[in-house]
Amino acid sequence: MGTSGAGDGAGEIRVLVDNGEYALRNRGDLALMAMTVERLRERWSRARIGMLTDEPHLLRAVLPQAEPIPAGGGGHWGRSGFIGQLDQLAGARVTGPAVRRWRHVTDAPLGTLREVRARVRTEVLARTGSAPEVAGMPPLPPVPAAVAESSLVIAQGGQYLADADRYQAHRTLNLLEHAQRLGIPTAMLGQGLGPMRDPELLRRAAEVLPGVDFIGVRDRLFGPPLLAELGVPADRVLVTGDDAVEFGYRLRRPEIGGELGLCATVSGAARTALDAAVRVSTLGPVRPIDNRAGTAESLARCVARCRVLVTGAFHPAVFALSQGIPAVAVTASRHYDDKFSGLADMFGTGLRVVHLDAEDLESGLANAVRELWAAAPELRDTLQQRAVEQIDDARTGLERVCQLVRVRSASRSN
Protein backbone atom coordinates (compact mmCIF):
# COMPACT_ATOMS: atom_id res chain seq x y z
CA MET A 1 0.00 0.00 0.00
CA GLY A 2 1.28 3.49 -0.86
CA THR A 3 2.23 5.52 2.17
CA SER A 4 0.77 8.94 2.78
CA GLY A 5 2.73 11.97 3.76
CA ALA A 6 2.40 15.42 5.22
CA GLY A 7 2.75 17.03 1.83
CA ASP A 8 4.12 16.72 -1.66
CA GLY A 9 7.26 14.67 -1.94
CA ALA A 10 6.63 12.78 1.30
CA GLY A 11 5.15 9.70 -0.35
CA GLU A 12 2.25 9.12 -2.70
CA ILE A 13 -1.08 10.26 -1.34
CA ARG A 14 -4.19 8.58 -2.69
CA VAL A 15 -7.57 10.04 -1.81
CA LEU A 16 -10.66 8.03 -2.69
CA VAL A 17 -13.83 10.14 -2.97
CA ASP A 18 -17.34 8.71 -2.85
CA ASN A 19 -20.31 10.77 -3.98
CA GLY A 20 -24.05 10.45 -4.42
CA GLU A 21 -24.18 10.75 -8.20
CA TYR A 22 -22.18 8.09 -10.02
CA ALA A 23 -23.96 8.86 -13.34
CA LEU A 24 -22.59 12.45 -13.43
CA ARG A 25 -25.93 14.00 -14.36
CA ASN A 26 -26.64 16.21 -11.36
CA ARG A 27 -25.11 19.68 -11.85
CA GLY A 28 -25.07 20.43 -8.13
CA ASP A 29 -23.16 17.25 -7.37
CA LEU A 30 -20.70 18.07 -10.15
CA ALA A 31 -20.04 21.39 -8.43
CA LEU A 32 -19.40 19.53 -5.17
CA MET A 33 -16.94 17.23 -6.93
CA ALA A 34 -15.12 20.16 -8.51
CA MET A 35 -14.72 21.96 -5.17
CA THR A 36 -13.61 18.81 -3.34
CA VAL A 37 -10.93 18.04 -5.92
CA GLU A 38 -9.75 21.65 -6.11
CA ARG A 39 -9.39 21.98 -2.35
CA LEU A 40 -7.51 18.70 -2.09
CA ARG A 41 -5.21 19.79 -4.93
CA GLU A 42 -4.41 22.99 -3.03
CA ARG A 43 -3.09 20.84 -0.16
CA TRP A 44 -1.50 18.03 -2.19
CA SER A 45 -0.79 19.07 -5.77
CA ARG A 46 0.63 15.68 -6.74
CA ALA A 47 -1.87 13.46 -4.93
CA ARG A 48 -3.90 10.89 -6.82
CA ILE A 49 -7.56 11.78 -6.31
CA GLY A 50 -9.92 9.00 -7.33
CA MET A 51 -13.64 9.59 -7.84
CA LEU A 52 -16.04 6.65 -7.78
CA THR A 53 -18.24 6.73 -10.88
CA ASP A 54 -20.26 4.69 -13.35
CA GLU A 55 -19.08 6.95 -16.19
CA PRO A 56 -15.25 6.83 -16.16
CA HIS A 57 -14.81 8.28 -19.67
CA LEU A 58 -17.18 11.15 -18.98
CA LEU A 59 -15.49 11.95 -15.68
CA ARG A 60 -12.21 12.52 -17.57
CA ALA A 61 -13.96 15.26 -19.55
CA VAL A 62 -15.90 17.02 -16.79
CA LEU A 63 -13.32 16.66 -14.01
CA PRO A 64 -9.83 16.14 -15.50
CA GLN A 65 -8.07 16.81 -12.19
CA ALA A 66 -9.48 13.56 -10.78
CA GLU A 67 -9.10 10.01 -12.00
CA PRO A 68 -12.12 7.75 -12.38
CA ILE A 69 -12.50 4.72 -10.15
CA PRO A 70 -15.13 2.55 -11.90
CA ALA A 71 -17.73 1.60 -9.32
CA GLY A 72 -18.25 -1.69 -11.18
CA GLY A 73 -15.59 -4.16 -12.22
CA GLY A 74 -13.79 -4.21 -8.90
CA GLY A 75 -13.19 -0.49 -8.44
CA HIS A 76 -9.41 -0.51 -8.84
CA TRP A 77 -7.04 2.42 -9.10
CA GLY A 78 -5.91 3.01 -12.67
CA ARG A 79 -2.40 2.86 -14.02
CA SER A 80 0.14 5.31 -12.66
CA GLY A 81 3.20 6.97 -14.17
CA PHE A 82 3.52 7.85 -17.84
CA ILE A 83 0.84 5.38 -18.98
CA GLY A 84 -1.58 6.83 -16.48
CA GLN A 85 -0.86 10.34 -17.76
CA LEU A 86 -1.60 9.18 -21.31
CA ASP A 87 -4.91 7.69 -20.13
CA GLN A 88 -5.80 10.98 -18.50
CA LEU A 89 -4.87 13.03 -21.56
CA ALA A 90 -6.81 10.77 -23.94
CA GLY A 91 -9.83 10.80 -21.67
CA ALA A 92 -9.83 14.57 -21.26
CA ARG A 93 -9.34 15.36 -24.96
CA VAL A 94 -10.79 12.45 -26.95
CA THR A 95 -12.99 9.82 -25.33
CA GLY A 96 -14.46 12.06 -22.64
CA PRO A 97 -15.69 14.79 -25.03
CA ALA A 98 -17.08 12.10 -27.37
CA VAL A 99 -19.09 10.55 -24.54
CA ARG A 100 -20.21 14.00 -23.51
CA ARG A 101 -21.51 14.77 -27.03
CA TRP A 102 -23.32 11.42 -27.19
CA ARG A 103 -25.01 12.09 -23.86
CA HIS A 104 -26.11 15.51 -25.09
CA VAL A 105 -27.83 13.86 -28.06
CA THR A 106 -29.51 11.09 -26.08
CA ASP A 107 -30.38 12.96 -22.90
CA ALA A 108 -33.63 14.48 -24.20
CA PRO A 109 -35.55 11.20 -24.71
CA LEU A 110 -33.95 9.55 -21.71
CA GLY A 111 -34.63 12.66 -19.65
CA THR A 112 -38.36 12.24 -20.18
CA LEU A 113 -38.19 8.75 -18.70
CA ARG A 114 -36.15 9.99 -15.75
CA GLU A 115 -38.67 12.76 -15.13
CA VAL A 116 -41.50 10.22 -14.99
CA ARG A 117 -39.54 8.14 -12.50
CA ALA A 118 -38.71 11.26 -10.47
CA ARG A 119 -42.39 12.25 -10.33
CA VAL A 120 -43.37 8.79 -9.11
CA ARG A 121 -40.61 8.96 -6.52
CA THR A 122 -41.74 12.41 -5.35
CA GLU A 123 -45.35 11.30 -5.07
CA VAL A 124 -44.38 8.23 -3.04
CA LEU A 125 -42.20 10.38 -0.77
CA ALA A 126 -45.04 12.85 -0.28
CA ARG A 127 -47.53 10.10 0.65
CA THR A 128 -45.38 7.74 2.68
CA GLY A 129 -42.17 9.55 3.63
CA SER A 130 -40.09 6.75 2.13
CA ALA A 131 -38.74 5.98 -1.30
CA PRO A 132 -40.25 3.25 -3.53
CA GLU A 133 -36.98 1.27 -3.40
CA VAL A 134 -37.37 0.67 0.33
CA ALA A 135 -39.55 -2.38 -0.21
CA GLY A 136 -36.98 -4.17 -2.34
CA MET A 137 -33.50 -2.68 -2.41
CA PRO A 138 -31.21 -4.36 -4.98
CA PRO A 139 -28.09 -6.17 -3.76
CA LEU A 140 -25.21 -3.91 -2.80
CA PRO A 141 -21.99 -4.13 -4.84
CA PRO A 142 -18.66 -5.19 -3.31
CA VAL A 143 -16.56 -2.49 -1.67
CA PRO A 144 -14.15 -1.05 -4.31
CA ALA A 145 -10.68 -2.56 -4.20
CA ALA A 146 -9.20 0.95 -4.35
CA VAL A 147 -9.98 1.43 -0.65
CA ALA A 148 -7.10 -0.80 0.43
CA GLU A 149 -4.56 1.38 -1.40
CA SER A 150 -5.93 4.72 -0.24
CA SER A 151 -4.45 7.17 2.23
CA LEU A 152 -7.84 8.76 2.92
CA VAL A 153 -11.48 7.92 2.10
CA ILE A 154 -13.97 10.77 1.78
CA ALA A 155 -17.74 10.62 1.48
CA GLN A 156 -18.53 13.82 -0.37
CA GLY A 157 -21.59 15.93 0.36
CA GLY A 158 -25.15 15.31 -0.72
CA GLN A 159 -28.27 14.11 1.05
CA TYR A 160 -28.06 10.43 0.30
CA LEU A 161 -27.70 9.32 3.93
CA ALA A 162 -31.47 9.31 4.18
CA ASP A 163 -34.49 7.07 3.73
CA ALA A 164 -34.99 8.61 0.28
CA ASP A 165 -31.74 7.06 -1.01
CA ARG A 166 -31.25 3.91 1.03
CA TYR A 167 -29.19 2.15 -1.62
CA GLN A 168 -26.51 4.85 -1.81
CA ALA A 169 -26.63 5.31 1.96
CA HIS A 170 -25.82 1.65 2.63
CA ARG A 171 -23.19 1.62 -0.12
CA THR A 172 -21.42 4.60 1.47
CA LEU A 173 -21.67 3.15 4.98
CA ASN A 174 -20.11 -0.11 3.76
CA LEU A 175 -17.29 1.85 2.14
CA LEU A 176 -16.54 3.84 5.28
CA GLU A 177 -16.72 0.77 7.52
CA HIS A 178 -14.28 -1.12 5.30
CA ALA A 179 -11.79 1.75 5.40
CA GLN A 180 -12.10 1.96 9.18
CA ARG A 181 -11.30 -1.76 9.53
CA LEU A 182 -8.14 -1.20 7.49
CA GLY A 183 -7.09 1.71 9.70
CA ILE A 184 -7.53 4.25 6.88
CA PRO A 185 -8.73 7.75 7.90
CA THR A 186 -12.32 8.51 6.92
CA ALA A 187 -14.16 11.78 6.53
CA MET A 188 -17.53 13.08 5.38
CA LEU A 189 -17.82 16.55 3.84
CA GLY A 190 -20.81 18.87 3.43
CA GLN A 191 -23.30 16.19 4.34
CA GLY A 192 -27.05 16.63 4.50
CA LEU A 193 -28.43 13.92 6.77
CA GLY A 194 -31.93 12.46 6.99
CA PRO A 195 -34.79 12.16 7.24
CA MET A 196 -33.76 8.75 8.54
CA ARG A 197 -36.44 6.57 10.10
CA ASP A 198 -35.80 3.20 8.45
CA PRO A 199 -34.75 0.84 11.29
CA GLU A 200 -32.08 -0.99 9.30
CA LEU A 201 -30.53 2.24 8.01
CA LEU A 202 -30.53 3.71 11.52
CA ARG A 203 -28.86 0.56 12.83
CA ARG A 204 -26.11 0.64 10.20
CA ALA A 205 -25.57 4.36 10.63
CA ALA A 206 -25.17 3.89 14.38
CA GLU A 207 -22.58 1.16 13.73
CA VAL A 208 -20.47 3.11 11.26
CA LEU A 209 -20.78 6.86 11.74
CA PRO A 210 -19.34 7.05 15.29
CA GLY A 211 -16.11 5.65 13.83
CA VAL A 212 -15.78 8.32 11.11
CA ASP A 213 -12.88 10.63 11.97
CA PHE A 214 -14.52 13.87 10.82
CA ILE A 215 -18.04 14.77 9.66
CA GLY A 216 -18.80 18.15 8.11
CA VAL A 217 -22.55 18.82 7.88
CA ARG A 218 -24.24 21.40 5.71
CA ASP A 219 -26.95 22.50 8.15
CA ARG A 220 -27.44 23.09 11.87
CA LEU A 221 -31.06 22.00 12.18
CA PHE A 222 -30.96 18.32 11.25
CA GLY A 223 -27.41 17.01 10.89
CA PRO A 224 -25.94 17.54 14.38
CA PRO A 225 -29.02 16.29 16.31
CA LEU A 226 -29.23 13.13 14.19
CA LEU A 227 -25.52 12.42 14.57
CA ALA A 228 -25.82 12.88 18.34
CA GLU A 229 -28.66 10.35 18.42
CA LEU A 230 -26.47 7.93 16.45
CA GLY A 231 -23.67 8.22 19.00
CA VAL A 232 -21.21 10.37 17.02
CA PRO A 233 -18.91 12.37 19.34
CA ALA A 234 -19.62 16.10 19.06
CA ASP A 235 -15.95 16.95 18.67
CA ARG A 236 -15.88 15.08 15.35
CA VAL A 237 -18.72 17.18 13.86
CA LEU A 238 -18.49 20.65 12.32
CA VAL A 239 -21.23 22.66 10.61
CA THR A 240 -19.65 23.82 7.34
CA GLY A 241 -22.49 24.58 4.94
CA ASP A 242 -22.74 23.09 1.47
CA ASP A 243 -19.48 22.75 -0.46
CA ALA A 244 -21.13 24.21 -3.58
CA VAL A 245 -21.48 27.58 -1.81
CA GLU A 246 -17.97 28.58 -2.87
CA PHE A 247 -18.61 27.38 -6.43
CA GLY A 248 -21.62 29.67 -6.72
CA TYR A 249 -20.07 32.61 -4.86
CA ARG A 250 -17.15 32.80 -7.29
CA LEU A 251 -19.53 33.27 -10.22
CA ARG A 252 -21.49 36.18 -8.71
CA ARG A 253 -21.99 39.23 -10.90
CA PRO A 254 -21.06 42.76 -9.77
CA GLU A 255 -24.53 44.08 -10.63
CA ILE A 256 -27.91 42.86 -9.46
CA GLY A 257 -29.88 40.81 -11.98
CA GLY A 258 -33.13 41.81 -13.60
CA GLU A 259 -34.80 38.46 -14.33
CA LEU A 260 -37.08 36.07 -12.49
CA GLY A 261 -35.56 32.59 -12.70
CA LEU A 262 -37.74 29.49 -12.82
CA CYS A 263 -36.19 26.09 -12.20
CA ALA A 264 -39.15 23.73 -11.86
CA THR A 265 -38.81 19.99 -11.32
CA VAL A 266 -42.55 19.29 -11.19
CA SER A 267 -45.22 18.79 -13.83
CA GLY A 268 -48.94 18.35 -14.26
CA ALA A 269 -51.25 20.41 -12.04
CA ALA A 270 -48.38 21.56 -9.82
CA ARG A 271 -46.44 22.89 -12.82
CA THR A 272 -49.56 24.68 -14.09
CA ALA A 273 -50.00 26.34 -10.72
CA LEU A 274 -46.34 27.35 -10.64
CA ASP A 275 -46.50 28.85 -14.12
CA ALA A 276 -49.64 30.77 -13.22
CA ALA A 277 -48.09 32.07 -10.01
CA VAL A 278 -44.97 33.17 -11.85
CA ARG A 279 -47.06 35.04 -14.43
CA VAL A 280 -49.00 36.77 -11.65
CA SER A 281 -45.83 37.76 -9.82
CA THR A 282 -43.71 38.72 -12.83
CA LEU A 283 -41.82 41.95 -12.26
CA GLY A 284 -39.24 41.29 -14.95
CA PRO A 285 -38.52 38.81 -17.74
CA VAL A 286 -38.78 35.13 -16.77
CA ARG A 287 -35.64 33.04 -17.33
CA PRO A 288 -36.27 29.27 -17.56
CA ILE A 289 -33.38 27.46 -15.87
CA ASP A 290 -32.70 23.86 -16.87
CA ASN A 291 -31.09 21.93 -14.02
CA ARG A 292 -30.17 19.07 -16.40
CA ALA A 293 -28.51 20.74 -19.37
CA GLY A 294 -25.00 22.15 -19.64
CA THR A 295 -22.36 22.24 -16.94
CA ALA A 296 -22.43 23.19 -13.28
CA GLU A 297 -20.75 26.46 -14.25
CA SER A 298 -23.33 27.28 -16.94
CA LEU A 299 -26.12 26.59 -14.45
CA ALA A 300 -24.56 28.88 -11.82
CA ARG A 301 -23.98 31.62 -14.42
CA CYS A 302 -27.59 31.36 -15.56
CA VAL A 303 -28.78 31.78 -11.97
CA ALA A 304 -26.44 34.77 -11.56
CA ARG A 305 -28.54 36.80 -14.02
CA CYS A 306 -31.62 36.57 -11.81
CA ARG A 307 -32.95 39.03 -9.27
CA VAL A 308 -35.09 36.30 -7.67
CA LEU A 309 -35.11 32.54 -8.29
CA VAL A 310 -38.07 30.15 -7.98
CA THR A 311 -36.80 26.57 -7.76
CA GLY A 312 -37.79 23.05 -6.86
CA ALA A 313 -34.16 21.86 -7.09
CA PHE A 314 -31.73 22.27 -4.20
CA HIS A 315 -28.43 23.40 -5.69
CA PRO A 316 -29.83 26.19 -7.89
CA ALA A 317 -31.03 27.67 -4.59
CA VAL A 318 -27.52 27.24 -3.14
CA PHE A 319 -26.02 29.00 -6.17
CA ALA A 320 -28.55 31.83 -5.90
CA LEU A 321 -28.13 32.54 -2.20
CA SER A 322 -24.34 32.29 -2.45
CA GLN A 323 -24.39 35.01 -5.10
CA GLY A 324 -26.65 37.25 -3.04
CA ILE A 325 -29.86 36.35 -4.89
CA PRO A 326 -33.00 35.56 -2.84
CA ALA A 327 -35.00 32.47 -3.75
CA VAL A 328 -38.36 30.80 -3.32
CA ALA A 329 -38.14 27.04 -2.84
CA VAL A 330 -41.10 24.84 -3.76
CA THR A 331 -41.32 21.44 -2.09
CA ALA A 332 -43.67 18.46 -1.92
CA SER A 333 -41.90 16.04 0.45
CA ARG A 334 -40.39 15.85 3.93
CA HIS A 335 -37.02 15.16 2.31
CA TYR A 336 -37.04 18.49 0.49
CA ASP A 337 -38.69 20.30 3.41
CA ASP A 338 -35.63 19.46 5.48
CA LYS A 339 -33.14 20.29 2.71
CA PHE A 340 -34.56 23.74 2.10
CA SER A 341 -35.25 24.50 5.77
CA GLY A 342 -31.66 23.69 6.64
CA LEU A 343 -30.41 25.90 3.81
CA ALA A 344 -32.67 28.78 4.87
CA ASP A 345 -31.29 28.57 8.40
CA MET A 346 -27.67 28.64 7.18
CA PHE A 347 -28.23 31.90 5.27
CA GLY A 348 -30.61 33.38 7.83
CA THR A 349 -32.65 35.30 5.28
CA GLY A 350 -33.55 35.41 1.61
CA LEU A 351 -35.13 31.95 1.18
CA ARG A 352 -38.88 31.29 1.38
CA VAL A 353 -40.23 27.74 1.35
CA VAL A 354 -43.61 27.16 -0.32
CA HIS A 355 -45.40 23.79 -0.30
CA LEU A 356 -46.93 22.56 -3.54
CA ASP A 357 -49.96 21.18 -1.72
CA ALA A 358 -50.81 24.54 -0.15
CA GLU A 359 -54.35 25.69 -0.91
CA ASP A 360 -53.14 29.22 -1.64
CA LEU A 361 -50.13 28.12 -3.73
CA GLU A 362 -50.54 30.71 -6.47
CA SER A 363 -51.11 33.69 -4.19
CA GLY A 364 -48.54 32.53 -1.65
CA LEU A 365 -45.86 32.06 -4.29
CA ALA A 366 -46.71 35.34 -6.01
CA ASN A 367 -46.52 37.25 -2.72
CA ALA A 368 -43.19 35.63 -1.81
CA VAL A 369 -41.69 36.56 -5.18
CA ARG A 370 -42.92 40.15 -4.97
CA GLU A 371 -41.56 40.61 -1.45
CA LEU A 372 -38.16 39.16 -2.32
CA TRP A 373 -38.02 41.15 -5.56
CA ALA A 374 -38.44 44.37 -3.59
CA ALA A 375 -35.97 43.30 -0.88
CA ALA A 376 -33.31 41.89 -3.25
CA PRO A 377 -30.96 44.92 -3.17
CA GLU A 378 -30.92 44.98 0.64
CA LEU A 379 -30.45 41.22 0.96
CA ARG A 380 -27.53 41.01 -1.46
CA ASP A 381 -24.64 41.92 0.85
CA THR A 382 -26.02 39.91 3.78
CA LEU A 383 -26.40 36.74 1.71
CA GLN A 384 -22.91 37.06 0.24
CA GLN A 385 -21.45 37.54 3.71
CA ARG A 386 -23.19 34.37 4.91
CA ALA A 387 -21.64 32.60 1.92
CA VAL A 388 -18.15 33.80 2.88
CA GLU A 389 -18.63 32.51 6.42
CA GLN A 390 -19.63 29.07 5.16
CA ILE A 391 -16.69 28.99 2.75
CA ASP A 392 -14.33 29.68 5.65
CA ASP A 393 -15.95 26.94 7.74
CA ALA A 394 -15.74 24.42 4.88
CA ARG A 395 -12.04 25.14 4.39
CA THR A 396 -11.46 24.79 8.14
CA GLY A 397 -13.14 21.39 7.95
CA LEU A 398 -10.97 20.25 5.08
CA GLU A 399 -7.85 21.28 6.96
CA ARG A 400 -8.94 18.97 9.78
CA VAL A 401 -9.35 16.20 7.23
CA CYS A 402 -5.86 16.77 5.83
CA GLN A 403 -4.49 16.67 9.36
CA LEU A 404 -5.83 13.11 9.69
CA VAL A 405 -3.47 12.01 6.93
CA ARG A 406 -0.52 13.85 8.43
CA VAL A 407 -1.11 12.31 11.86
CA ARG A 408 -1.43 8.81 10.40
CA SER A 409 1.72 9.28 8.34
CA ALA A 410 3.66 10.42 11.40
CA SER A 411 2.45 7.45 13.47
CA ARG A 412 3.47 4.99 10.72
CA SER A 413 6.92 6.58 10.56
CA ASN A 414 7.57 6.14 14.29
Side-chain angles (χ1 to χ4, degrees), residues 357-412:
D357 57 358
E359 294 182 0
D360 59 346
L361 173 62
E362 292 188 22
S363 61
L365 180 57
N367 290 336
V369 171
R370 288 196 184 102
E371 292 171 8
L372 290 176
W373 187 277
E378 298 177 4
L379 293 172
R380 192 170 180 81
D381 288 345
T382 299
L383 290 173
Q384 290 185 359
Q385 180 57 38
R386 295 289 186 274
V388 171
E389 293 167 1
Q390 292 174 64
I391 292 168
D392 290 342
D393 290 340
R395 289 185 168 272
T396 296
L398 188 66
E399 185 56 38
R400 286 180 58 176
V401 173
C402 293
Q403 183 65 18
L404 296 172
V405 177
R406 289 192 284 267
V407 169
R408 181 172 183 261
S409 177
S411 65
R412 289 167 64 90

Side-chain angles (χ1 to χ4, degrees), residues 191-365:
Q191 289 288 335
L193 300 168
M196 192 183 295
R197 292 175 290 183
D198 178 73
E200 178 60 17
L201 181 55
L202 285 168
R203 184 190 69 79
R204 283 294 288 147
E207 287 179 344
V208 177
L209 296 186
V212 176
D213 297 294
F214 172 81
I215 303 179
V217 294
R218 70 185 187 190
D219 74 85
R220 290 181 290 256
L221 297 181
F222 306 105
L226 177 57
L227 291 173
E229 292 176 9
L230 295 170
V232 177
D235 60 358
R236 296 190 180 188
V237 179
L238 180 67
V239 178
T240 62
D242 193 275
D243 286 332
V245 167
E246 183 168 0
F247 190 95
Y249 178 77
R250 290 179 181 178
L251 298 175
R252 67 196 185 282
R253 293 161 62 99
E255 71 281 354
I256 193 167
E259 300 174 336
L260 176 62
L262 176 61
C263 181
T265 57
V266 296
S267 60
R271 178 58 188 256
T272 301
L274 278 176
D275 289 343
V278 168
R279 285 196 299 272
V280 169
S281 61
T282 296
L283 301 169
V286 176
R287 167 169 287 270
I289 295 174
D290 190 346
N291 189 39
R292 299 171 302 160
T295 64
E297 181 175 340
S298 66
L299 173 61
R301 289 191 184 280
C302 190
V303 169
R305 298 182 60 177
C306 300
R307 182 180 175 112
V308 174
L309 175 70
V310 179
T311 179
F314 180 75
H315 275 106
V318 173
F319 292 154
L321 297 172
S322 303
Q323 297 176 70
I325 300 165
V328 180
V330 290
T331 174
S333 69
R334 167 72 186 282
H335 186 69
Y336 272 85
D337 288 349
D338 288 4
K339 291 173 75 166
F340 284 125
S341 296
L343 181 64
D345 177 72
M346 290 300 293
F347 279 89
T349 188
L351 180 63
R352 304 286 182 83
V353 181
V354 176
H355 295 270
L356 286 174
D357 57 358
E359 294 182 0
D360 59 346
L361 173 62
E362 292 188 22
S363 61
L365 180 57

